[in-house]
Structure formats: structure tokens, C-alpha cells
């Protein structure tokens, strides 16, 4: 794959796409030359990153998910799942603010 034209495949814990640059927002087909973007781009993270962010191990995370106490996975392909970074960060912030159930 040519790194200059496409985002890397989701393998391991690499970013799913390159960082957003201001020139990426320009679009010839839109009025004013700007694309419509969501409020915040969604970044998917792998289990290794979730473990690093939360300091919890895989079995603990799966137990919390089973009991509804941790954000669910997003199925990317039949063999690959990830978590939404914003949801994991929100979960951490809830705990930091004293919201441990």
C-alpha cells in the first residue's frame, strides 16, 4: 500500500488514519471549499492501548464489559474489534471524578 495516498490498515495499534491537517478540510465540491465534518473525529484503539490507558488487564476489561461497566467494543471486521477512544477516556474521567460503581 502506498502510504502517501491511503490510511494504513488497522493492524496492531497503529492509528487508523493519518492526523487531520487543515488542507484536508478543503474540498472543491462544497460551498466555500470546506467539507462538513463531525463534531469530533472518532479514533479507534486496540486492546493494548485500552490496557495501557486503564491499567487494567484483558480479563478484567472483558468482565467489566460483560457486566455493562465498560464501553463495548466496535466490530471492525469479522476478526477485529476496537474501542472508541472518547468512550474509554470518558469512562476514565468518571472514575477520576469519583464515579466508581
Amino acid at each position: 500500500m502506498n502510504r502517501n495516498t491511503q490510511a494504513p490498515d488497522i493492524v496492531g495499534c497503529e492509528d487508523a488514519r493519518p492526523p487531520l491537517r487543515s488542507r484536508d478540510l478543503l474540498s472543491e465540491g462544497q460551498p466555500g471549499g470546506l467539507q462538513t465534518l463531525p463534531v469530533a473525529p472518532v479514533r479507534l484503539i486496540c486492546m493494548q492501548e485500552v490496557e495501557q490507558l486503564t491499567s487494567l488487564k484483558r480479563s478484567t476489561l472483558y468482565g467489566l464489559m460483560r457486566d455493562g461497566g465498560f464501553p463495548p467494543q466496535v466490530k471492525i471486521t469479522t476478526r477485529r474489534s476496537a474501542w472508541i477512544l472518547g468512550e474509554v477516556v470518558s469512562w476514565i474521567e468518571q472514575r477520576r471524578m469519583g464515579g466508581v460503581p
Side-chain angles (χ1 to χ4, degrees):
M1 174 184 11
N2 183 346
R3 287 187 171 258
N4 295 331
T5 59
Q6 293 181 350
D9 295 332
I10 298 177
V11 176
C13 290
E14 296 86 21
D15 287 339
R17 57 185 177 198
L20 191 62
R21 298 175 303 256
S22 59
R23 71 173 181 246
D24 295 334
L25 302 177
L26 298 178
S27 174
E28 302 269 333
Q30 296 290 339
L34 294 177
Q35 294 178 2
T36 303
L37 293 178
V39 175
V42 174
R43 178 165 179 256
L44 299 175
I45 58 174
C46 66
M47 174 58 84
Q48 183 180 357
E49 284 184 273
V50 173
E51 287 179 332
Q52 290 173 350
L53 287 169
T54 63
S55 298
L56 299 173
K57 292 294 182 190
R58 179 181 308 259
S59 59
T60 302
L61 292 165
Y62 281 124
L64 286 169
M65 280 192 304
R66 182 185 60 243
D67 298 337
F70 193 76
Q73 300 173 1
V74 174
K75 198 73 170 162
I76 301 169
T77 68
T78 57
R79 298 181 64 190
R80 186 82 174 145
S81 296
W83 287 260
I84 297 172
L85 176 61
E87 291 179 2
V88 174
V89 170
S90 293
W91 182 88
I92 293 168
E93 285 299 312
Q94 288 175 350
R95 266 107 202 115
R96 193 175 72 85
M97 302 304 284
V100 178

